[in-house]
Structures are given as C-alpha cells and as structure tokens.
Amino acid sequence: MKAIRVQHFGGPEVLQLKDVPDLTAGPEQVVVQVRAIGVNPVDTYIRAGVHAVKPQLPYTPGSDAAGVVESIGDHVTRVKRGDSVYIAGSVSGTYAQQCLCSESQVHRLPPHVTYEQGAALGVPYATAYRSLFQKGHGKAGETVLVHGATGGVGTAAVQLARAAGLTVIGTGGTEKGRSNISQQGAHHVLDHHATDYTDQILALTGGTGVNLILEMLANVNLAKDLTLLAKFGRVVVIGNRGKIEIDPRATMTRDLSVLGMTLFNASDDDRASIHAALVAGLENGTLRPVVGKEMPLADAARAHEAVLEPGALGKIVLIP
Ligand code: NAP
C-alpha cells in the first residue's frame, strides 16, 4: 500500500509518498481501508519537530480518517469487517491507504455521513466537545464566543454549542468564512479583524460579556478575552502560536478562569464519552462536518501549507 512517510523532521517537503508493506491486525486491533484523511494543524507541528509529541522516525503522520474495516483481531467485538468507521487516533498513522488502530480508536460512522466528513471528526470535534463541556462546563442558556469559528474546531464548536442550547457568537476573518459560520447555526457572526468587534460583543450581551470563550489564537486574543467575559466566565485556550502580555487583575475582579486544554491529555473514559456524544450528534443530524478542500494523498505537503494559511473554511481532507 501507499503511505506518506517522514524520514526526518522538517518542512512540508519531508512528506514523501512511499510503498510500504500491508498492515496486519493484532488481537485487539483493527485494519481500516482508508477513504479520506483529516489534516490538522497539529500534524504540521509534529512534522516540523516542534511539538511535545515526537514520533520515532520514520513515521506516517495523521490521527484522523474514515474508511471501511478491512480486518479485525480475534478479540475485537465493537466493529466487524465491512463496517464504515471514523478514526480518532491510530497506531500506524492515517496518511495512508491502510491504517492500524486499537479497537477504541474506531467509531461507527452513520450511513448518511460521508467518509470525507468522517475524516473531519477526530481531532476537531473531540477538541470542540472537550473544550465546551468537559473543560469549559458550557451549559444551556449561557453565551459562548467561538473565537475563530471558520476552521475545523470552530465549525464543530458552533454546531455542538447550538445543539446544546447556548447562544453562539462566532468570529471569522473572511466574508465566505463568516457566511459559513451563520449556516452552521451561530446566532451572531463577527469579523475578528474589525477594530470594533469587541465592542460589538459587549453590545450583544447587554454589556455583561460572554460566559465562555473558546480561543483559537490566544497569543493574539487572550488579553482582550479577559475584558469580554462576564463574572465567573471561563476562557479555554485551544490554539496558541506565541506569547502575550495579560493583566491578571482582570481575572480577580470577576472570578475568571483561564483553562488550558490539550486533547492528548484526555483520559480513556473522557474519550469514550466524547465519541459517544459525537456519534449521537451525527445520528440526529445536529453534527454536520464541513469539508472545505479535498486533495490527493500525494499532495500532503501542499495540504500542510494550506492548513496554516488564513481564510479557513471547514476541513482540509486528503484522498488516498
Ligand atoms: P484551522 O481549521 O486552520 O482554523 C484556524 C482558525 O483560527 C480559523 O477559524 C481562523 O479564522 C482562526 N483565526 C485566525 N486568526 C484569528 C484571530 N485573530 N482571532 C481568532 N481566530 C483566528 O485550525 P483548527 O483545526 O480549527 O485549529 C485551531 C487552532 O487550535 C490551531 O492553532 C490548532 O493547532 C489548535 N488545536 C488545538 C487542540 C488542542 O488539543 N489544544 C486541538 C485541535 C486544534 P480565519 O481563517 O477565518 O481568520
């Protein structure tokens, strides 16, 4: 089979398409014939060698995909050969025609959900769910600011929050992106490049601020965020690409919480709970992953450049 292999950490050019041996499932493992692969910003940080997670070289990148179960180990009971599944984490890496997973890393894909949409679930939807509910404790009736709502995580967060009864304010950097945020169910949509958008957020909340912020670019926004939160408000730091100066006093006066979040730290129980909720949301139609761009697997390097460019619009997916 063909797979993207990384021989050494570096720029996108280290992503090389190679012929590699077919995979075999161990007793508690599943081999999936991959139909679509999700590209996440974290894949680029790992490839560059700047992430805390450093795989042993050479390796096949990727944690997200969807496809058909090709073979299962003797002890596997949750899925069978021929089932459509999405993959959230893997043993062998997802940028390939086949992928080896532990049984707990594959989840049933309802028939009306495409493989391309399935590839958009693993990291983005799990991150959005964990940030909104397990870390941010968002609840019906509250107002959430999805600060960066046009990309993979933001789209997921808007759909999840809307379905759970929160009032959703989403921000985007382009006209097209903002129009998509509305379509996904946000009550209010703002431009995070507009000079007065923080005033608009305070106006939308009658001056009190929002209860929860899901932050995609903390190094730009965290100081502002602390001025946009209501009393007992929480900001979950999801994305960050640098440093920022904040005034800690702002957290004291209104009992604010700044919560860090890395999906890698989610426990097995938390993951099981996240994916049970995501499958239910797919089944009842409240979760509808948005695929913005499809590219052939051989173009993985181009996909790694595209995922870091501004003007996000849903998910970038590779087709093997
Ligand atoms: P993505 O699809 O590339 O989306 C990036 C998002 O950031 C877009 O909505 C983009 O909006 C927005 N953005 C750009 N400039 C912004 C600004 N000034 N203020 C607010 N938002 C801004 O990436 P993703 O997969 O959604 O991931 C988002 C971030 O979270 C990335 O940094 C990623 O590494 C991180 N992440 C962290 C975890 C974790 O476990 N902590 C998990 C997944 C992702 P426009 O393009 O419309 O301007």
Side-chain angles (χ1 to χ4, degrees):
M1 65 128 171
K2 297 218 178 289
I4 296 289
R5 298 292 284 168
V6 173
Q7 305 289 337
H8 52 265
F9 298 117
E13 70 284 353
V14 302
L15 299 167
Q16 297 282 331
L17 192 67
K18 302 270 186 202
D19 286 308
V20 297
D22 278 2
L23 301 169
T24 311
E28 277 140 26
Q29 293 177 327
V30 174
V31 173
V32 178
Q33 189 189 91
V34 176
R35 298 285 173 82
I37 300 147
V39 176
N40 288 297
V42 70
D43 303 343
T44 72
Y45 318 148
I46 294 172
R47 183 216 69 226
V50 298
H51 196 267
V53 171
K54 282 206 176 55
Q56 217 184 340
L57 295 164
Y59 79 101
T60 294
S63 58
D64 295 358
V68 179
V69 173
E70 196 170 302
S71 60
I72 60 171
D74 289 344
H75 299 167
V76 170
T77 55
R78 281 180 61 236
V79 292
K80 60 181 189 315
R81 200 165 172 268
D83 282 356
S84 289
V85 292
Y86 73 87
I87 295 173
S90 83
V91 176
S92 64
T94 56
Y95 286 31
Q97 291 178 325
Q98 280 184 333
C99 181
L100 184 66
C101 299
S102 66
E103 188 177 10
S104 62
Q105 291 171 325
V106 295
H107 307 280
R108 205 168 47 77
L109 199 61
H112 65 277
V113 184
T114 66
Y115 294 117
E116 289 77 5
Q117 288 180 304
L121 289 163
V123 167
Y125 276 75
T127 298
Y129 186 91
R130 184 161 177 77
S131 305
L132 255 175
F133 302 118
Q134 294 180 340
K135 293 295 279 194
H137 299 291
K139 50 182 190 288
E142 288 194 322
T143 298
V144 60
L145 169 65
V146 182
H147 216 166
T150 53
V153 177
T155 305
V158 169
Q159 293 175 359
L160 284 161
R162 177 73 197 234
L166 285 91
T167 298
V168 183
I169 304 173
T171 73
T174 63
E175 192 65 52
K176 227 170 152 180
R178 288 191 292 277
S179 144
N180 186 48
I181 301 171
S182 295
Q183 282 168 31
Q184 300 320 314
H187 297 84
H188 309 286
V189 182
L190 301 173
D191 176 356
H192 48 230
H193 299 310
T195 48
D196 66 341
Y197 83 100
T198 51
D199 296 337
Q200 294 179 49
I201 291 167
L202 289 173
L204 285 170
T205 55
T208 55
V210 300
N211 307 105
L212 177 60
I213 300 177
L214 303 191
E215 184 51 70
M216 304 305 154
L217 202 55
N219 55 300
V220 171
N221 295 325
L222 189 57
K224 273 184 287 195
D225 288 347
L226 299 181
T227 69
L228 295 174
L229 284 166
K231 203 170 176 185
F232 307 122
R234 298 87 66 199
V235 54
V236 183
V237 175
I238 300 173
N240 184 67
R241 291 179 181 163
K243 294 192 176 166
I244 184 169
E245 191 176 304
I246 62 160
D247 179 2
R249 180 162 291 277
T251 65
M252 287 162 55
T253 47
R254 274 167 293 125
D255 263 50
L256 306 183
S257 303
V258 178
L259 301 157
M261 202 299 288
T262 288
L263 190 60
F264 289 105
N265 290 339
S267 68
D268 289 347
D269 278 357
D270 284 350
R271 281 175 201 274
S273 173
I274 289 169
H275 290 288
L278 297 186
V279 171
L282 292 169
E283 281 171 350
N284 69 25
T286 51
L287 303 185
R288 305 161 310 275
V290 175
V291 177
K293 213 176 265 176
E294 292 180 27
M295 298 179 177
L297 178 60
D299 284 354
R302 204 156 55 83
H304 270 211
E305 284 165 3
V307 79
L308 295 182
E309 284 163 5
L313 193 69
K315 191 73 210 161
I316 297 175
V317 164
L318 293 169
I319 307 296

